Amino acid sequence: MASLEKTSLSAPPWLRHSRSPGTPSLRDLHTLIRPTLVFLPTLGLLSGFGVRSSGYEQWSGLIWAVATVPVLGALLIEIVASLRRGDVGLDIVAALSMSAALAFGEYLAAVVVALMYASGQYLESFAERRANREMTALLARVPRMALRHRDGRLEEVPLDTVEPEDRLLVRQGDVVPVDGLVATRMAVLDQSALTGESVPIQKKAGEPVMSGATNVGDAFDLSATHRAAESTYAGIVRLIEAAQASKAPMARLADRFAMAFLVLTVVLAGGAWLWSGDPIRALAVLVVATPCPLILAVPVAIVSGVSRAAKAGVLVKGGRALETLARVRTLVIDKTGTLTHGQARIVEIRPAAGLSPEALLQIAASLDQASKHVIAHALVSEAQGRGLDLLPPTDVAEAPGEGLEGNVGGRRVVVGGVRFVLQCVPKAAGAAVECHYPVGSVVVAVAVDGAPAGLLILADPLRSEAAQVIDKLRQLGIVRITLASGDRRDVAEAVTVGLHLDAVHAELTPERKIAIVQEEKRHGPVMMIGDGVNDAPALAAADLGIAMGAKGAAASAEAADVVLLVDRLDKIPVAVRAARRSRRIALQSVYAGIGLSVVGMIAAGLGYLTPVQGALIQEAIDVAVILNALRALWGPDPS
C-alpha cells in the first residue's frame, strides 16, 4: 500500500486556498506579464529606430507611443491598487513622466522611461521568483490520507472523512493524522516538531496523542477524538495564517524616499512651467526625475545580495526579506533542532570495570540492530560511525519501548531503560541508582551475562558553533537574544549554560511563542530562528523568520522569510553581513542617483535639457548606479 506522503498531492480541505484549481494567482499573472512589459518597449524602441533609418520617420513616434501604452496602463493599475492600500510610491513619478511625454508628443522619451520602469519591476520580481522556486508546497509533511479499521479490514480514506471514535492504524514513520487516544499497548512518538522535546516519549494505552507527532516505534492503533480540522496540527496552521495576516509588510527601500522626491519633482516641474511658460520644460524635469536609479539600482543590489546568500546556503525569499535581515536588532531563537541538533546522541559512555567504552557500545549496538526504536537506531549509528564491527544478535526478545535482550557472540545481553534492566538483572541496581544523569538525558543500561556492564548517556547536545554564532551576532549589532523553547525549563536552562542570552523562556505553546516575539519587538525589528511545526506561527509573526530548512519541518520553512539550506547556524552571520552590504550599496546608489537626478532636474528646469536629452542623461545615471549596485554581487566573500 502506498505511504501516506505519496497518496495525494492535494492539500486537506482545511489547508486549501479559496482560489479554485487552475485559477492563476496574482503572483502567477505578474510572472507572465512583467517579461512582456519589458519586451514591448524594447521591441518598440528598436522598431522605431529601424523605421526611422529606413526613411519612414513619421511612423517612429507612433511605434514608440504604442509600445509605451501597455507599460503605462499596467503602471496605472499598480498605482490605483497601491493608493487603495494607502501606499504612495515612486511609481507616480514614472506615470507622470510617461503621460506627459505622450501628451506633448515626446514619444522617444516616453518609450525610454517605459523601458526603464518595466525593467526595474522585472528585476524586483525576479528576486522573489529566484528565492521561492525551490520551496516545497505548503506544509508538505501534513498527512492527507489515513488508514481506518472498518469491518475487519483496513481502508485508506481521505483525512477529512475521519470522525471521532474511528480506529486508525498509525504505521512506523507516519505522522499522526488527528488527535486521539492510544488504542493498543504502547506508542513511541517524536513530538519534537510540536513541543521541542528532542527525546521520543512513550504513550500507554488510553493516553492522548497530538496530531503532527511522528510515530518512531512500532505501528499502533489510534482512537480518533477530533476531526482533522479540529486537531492540534490544524490549529497550528491557523495560527500561522493569522500571524502572516497580521504581520505589517515592510515598505520597499525605494518607496521610503517616495513622498519627498515626488513633492520635489512636482515643485520643480511646476515651477519651471510657471517661470518659463513652456510645458516642455516641465516635461524635461519629469523625464530627468523618473526614479530609474531607485527602480533599477535597488533591485539589482537586492538580487545580488540574494544570490550571494544563496551561494552560502541561505535562501532569502525576496528583497523585502533581505532588507529586513539587514535591519534586525533582536533575536528570538528556538532550542531543539536550532541551538541543538534535534536528536539524541551519545554524550557519555560509563563502562563497568574491565570494559572499554568502545566494547560497551559494540555490545549494546549489536543487540540493538534487532530493534526499530529510535534510541536503538542512535546507538547503531554511533557504533557504525566509530567503525565498530557489530555482531549479529540471536534469540532476541523485545519489550516495545522499554528494552530487549538476546544473545551476542555467545553472551546474554540486556539493553534498555534502567528500570527494564533492573527487572532483568537485579545485580545492576546499585550501579544504576548511584549515578548522576545530566538534565534531559536518556540513560541506556547494559547488562552482560547477568552482571551490570555500564551505562550509555544520550542527550540532544548544543551545536558546536552555537556559542560562536551568538557572539558574532552580538558583534553585528544584535542587541538582545532570547531563547523561546517548548521543552522543559530545566532542560532549556541546562543546555544554554554559558551562552550569552538575555532571557530563557521554556515550556511554551505556539501561542506563547508568538507573544514572546511580539514583546521583543519593542527592542527593534525581531528575527526568529526555528525549525519545528510549533515554531512556524512565531516565524510568521516575526519581522523576519529564519527556518532550519535542511532537516526542519516544511511548515516552518514555508512560514519563514529565510531558509537555511544547510544544517548549520554559522550561516546566519554570513547572511546578515551579505544583507547589510547589499543594503548599504543600494543606499549609496539611491543617494548618488537622487543627487544626480536633482542636478539634472534643475538643468532641465532652466532650459538646458530637452526631454530626450534628459532621458539620455538619466540613462547615463542609470548605468553608473547599476554598476555600483553590482558590487553587491562581486564584492568580497561575506563569510
Side-chain angles (χ1 to χ4, degrees), residues 5-347:
E5 292 291 338
K6 298 180 180 179
T7 51
S8 173
L9 293 179
S10 61
W14 44 273
L15 278 180
R16 291 177 192 154
H17 299 292
S18 58
R19 180 166 58 90
S20 60
T23 304
S25 66
L26 185 59
R27 178 178 293 179
D28 296 331
L29 291 175
H30 283 174
T31 302
L32 294 173
I33 292 173
R34 282 179 172 166
T36 305
L37 293 180
V38 175
F39 173 75
L40 289 177
T42 302
L43 179 63
L45 186 63
L46 296 176
S47 300
F49 281 122
V51 298
R52 173 172 286 194
S53 63
S54 301
Y56 297 95
E57 185 174 344
Q58 67 275 17
W59 292 102
S60 61
L62 178 60
I63 292 173
W64 290 331
V66 170
T68 302
V69 169
V71 178
L72 178 58
L75 174 55
L76 291 175
I77 293 173
E78 291 275 357
I79 290 172
V80 170
S82 297
L83 291 176
R84 286 179 176 175
R85 297 192 302 266
D87 298 334
V88 178
L90 288 167
D91 299 340
I92 294 176
V93 179
L96 285 174
S97 61
M98 275 187 267
S99 301
L102 290 176
F104 295 121
E106 296 288 343
Y107 304 122
L108 176 57
V111 76
V112 169
V113 173
L115 177 58
M116 291 301 99
Y117 173 80
S119 299
Q121 292 296 299
Y122 177 76
L123 282 172
E124 195 168 31
S125 64
F126 172 77
E128 295 182 7
R129 294 200 310 275
R130 179 187 178 100
N132 286 299
R133 65 187 178 187
E134 298 180 33
M135 293 306 296
T136 56
L138 176 65
L139 300 178
R141 77 187 296 275
V142 179
R144 297 164 176 84
M145 306 289 286
L147 285 175
R148 182 169 61 190
H149 291 277
R150 181 61 58 87
D151 299 328
R153 298 170 57 249
L154 281 174
E155 58 178 2
E156 194 168 29
V157 297
L159 190 60
D160 58 313
T161 64
V162 173
E163 296 289 335
E165 299 186 5
D166 279 351
R167 192 180 181 95
L168 309 177
L169 175 65
V170 183
R171 299 166 297 187
Q172 186 179 51
D174 283 351
V175 175
V176 177
V178 297
D179 291 352
L181 302 175
V182 177
T184 47
R185 178 184 174 188
M186 182 179 294
V188 182
L189 301 167
D190 178 2
Q191 295 189 150
S192 59
L194 295 172
T195 65
E197 295 175 288
S198 57
V199 177
I201 63 169
Q202 297 179 359
K203 293 284 188 177
K204 297 180 180 179
E207 292 187 337
V209 175
M210 294 185 293
S211 60
T214 301
N215 179 21
V216 294
D218 294 332
F220 70 93
D221 283 351
L222 178 79
S223 177
T225 56
H226 295 80
R227 296 181 178 86
E230 301 166 349
S231 292
T232 302
Y233 205 90
I236 292 177
V237 173
R238 285 190 287 271
L239 280 175
I240 297 171
E241 294 172 343
Q244 288 176 327
S246 63
K247 182 177 179 178
M250 300 296 294
R252 290 184 304 172
L253 182 66
D255 284 346
R256 294 173 202 155
F257 299 88
M259 185 58 71
F261 192 79
L262 177 60
V263 171
L264 178 63
T265 300
V266 171
V267 169
L268 288 177
W273 190 346
L274 292 174
W275 180 63
S276 65
D278 183 3
I280 299 301
R281 288 199 185 186
L283 173 59
V285 171
L286 290 174
V287 170
V288 176
T290 300
C292 294
L294 303 182
I295 294 173
L296 284 172
V298 171
V300 168
I302 295 301
V303 171
S304 299
V306 169
S307 298
R308 291 300 300 278
K311 288 180 181 178
V314 181
L315 179 68
V316 182
K317 299 182 183 179
R320 298 190 186 201
L322 193 80
E323 290 182 43
T324 309
L325 180 60
R327 298 173 55 247
V328 292
R329 302 283 290 169
T330 303
L331 169 62
V332 177
I333 189 167
D334 174 51
K335 180 187 76 68
T336 305
T338 306
L339 277 179
T340 67
H341 293 275
Q343 56 188 8
R345 298 183 177 186
I346 291 180
V347 294

Side-chain angles (χ1 to χ4, degrees), residues 535-605:
D535 299 319
L539 290 170
D543 295 304
L544 183 90
I546 298 183
M548 306 291 289
K551 295 182 180 179
S556 60
E558 187 67 31
D561 305 291
V562 177
V563 179
L564 300 184
L565 300 179
V566 290
D567 197 31
R568 290 172 52 186
L569 279 177
D570 55 6
K571 297 298 181 182
I572 295 175
V574 174
V576 171
R577 280 192 289 268
R580 291 189 175 178
R581 185 170 186 272
S582 297
R583 186 174 184 271
R584 184 171 62 251
I585 290 174
L587 285 171
Q588 290 173 358
S589 298
V590 167
Y591 296 142
I594 287 181
L596 293 172
S597 294
V598 170
V599 172
M601 290 160 61
I602 294 173

Side-chain angles (χ1 to χ4, degrees), residues 372-598:
K372 293 182 178 180
H373 195 280
V374 64
I375 298 299
H377 176 73
L379 295 184
V380 173
S381 297
E382 179 71 20
Q384 292 173 339
R386 297 190 184 194
L388 302 179
D389 293 326
L390 302 184
L391 302 175
T394 59
D395 299 328
V396 179
E398 181 171 7
E402 297 183 17
L404 66 165
E405 55 182 319
N407 293 327
V408 176
R411 308 171 75 180
R412 191 64 179 174
V413 178
V414 181
V415 178
V418 173
R419 184 174 58 182
F420 175 77
V421 174
L422 287 178
Q423 291 173 350
C424 300
V425 185
K427 294 180 182 179
V433 171
E434 293 172 4
C435 287
H436 172 72
Y437 311 134
V439 176
S441 63
V442 173
V443 180
V444 177
V446 184
V448 178
D449 292 333
L455 301 173
L456 301 165
I457 315 298
L458 293 89
D460 183 15
L462 199 68
R463 292 179 186 269
S464 59
E465 74 272 19
Q468 186 178 21
V469 167
I470 288 177
D471 290 341
K472 284 185 177 180
L473 290 174
R474 294 278 191 189
Q475 294 169 9
L476 288 171
I478 305 298
V479 297
R480 184 172 170 82
I481 301 178
T482 299
L483 178 76
S485 175
D487 208 347
R488 304 196 323 261
R489 173 164 293 279
D490 58 344
V491 176
E493 291 177 346
V495 167
T496 56
V497 169
L499 296 183
H500 298 154
L501 302 177
D502 295 291
V504 174
H505 303 280
E507 301 178 13
L508 300 178
T509 62
E511 293 91 340
R512 278 295 300 151
K513 283 196 175 185
I514 293 177
I516 295 296
V517 168
Q518 299 293 355
E519 290 170 9
E520 293 297 332
K521 285 186 177 181
R522 69 178 186 272
H523 300 289
V526 174
M527 172 170 65
M528 165 74 187
I529 308 174
D531 77 309
V533 175
N534 62 329
D535 299 319
L539 290 170
D543 295 304
L544 183 90
I546 298 183
M548 306 291 289
K551 295 182 180 179
S556 60
E558 187 67 31
D561 305 291
V562 177
V563 179
L564 300 184
L565 300 179
V566 290
D567 197 31
R568 290 172 52 186
L569 279 177
D570 55 6
K571 297 298 181 182
I572 295 175
V574 174
V576 171
R577 280 192 289 268
R580 291 189 175 178
R581 185 170 186 272
S582 297
R583 186 174 184 271
R584 184 171 62 251
I585 290 174
L587 285 171
Q588 290 173 358
S589 298
V590 167
Y591 296 142
I594 287 181
L596 293 172
S597 294
V598 170

